[in-house]
Amino acid sequence: MTCMSDLRDLAVRILAADQTGGSDSQKLSTLVQSLSPEDCWGIAGRWITEHGHTLCWDDNLLALAERVWELPTKPADPHAPEMHNYRQVVAGILRVSD
């Protein structure tokens, strides 16, 4: 993808960054690094690069991606039975979006 054409592109990038794990700031860094210069000229990309540090990863960015893709909220417990299904759905989205 050379330019974020809609919220679905951004949501895919958020889901991909979330899959990398790490702290919220590491995930945000991964997300920002995935943005092309053209993406950063757009409203969403520019806002995230300039103000993303003010957002809570799970409550703001991941929640946006979940709404865009109509996903359930990611389980808080990484060992919850629902986490397996959540990961499978996200993996499917990422596979289709490659």
Side-chain angles (χ1 to χ4, degrees):
M1 289 180 275
T2 58
C3 185
M4 260 188 303
S5 60
D6 61 15
L7 282 179
R8 282 192 173 242
D9 291 343
L10 176 59
V12 166
R13 292 169 194 239
I14 292 168
L15 292 171
D18 190 64
Q19 294 300 299
T20 64
S23 68
D24 288 2
S25 62
Q26 290 169 320
K27 293 175 194 176
L28 179 61
S29 177
T30 299
L31 173 61
V32 169
Q33 290 173 7
S34 76
L35 302 175
S36 70
E38 292 85 11
D39 294 333
C40 294
W41 295 334
I43 293 170
R46 186 173 61 235
W47 201 93
I48 288 171
T49 57
E50 294 174 5
H51 306 288
H53 64 280
T54 64
L55 300 173
C56 173
W57 182 265
D58 287 343
D59 294 341
N60 300 124
L61 291 168
L62 186 58
L64 169 67
E66 290 168 346
R67 285 185 191 104
V68 167
W69 284 97
E70 298 178 1
L71 294 171
T73 301
K74 181 179 178 181
D77 177 3
H79 304 291
E82 299 85 11
M83 184 61 87
H84 177 72
N85 292 336
Y86 181 88
R87 286 185 178 139
Q88 283 188 317
V89 172
V90 169
I93 291 169
L94 296 176
R95 237 185 346 268
V96 169
S97 300
D98 267 343

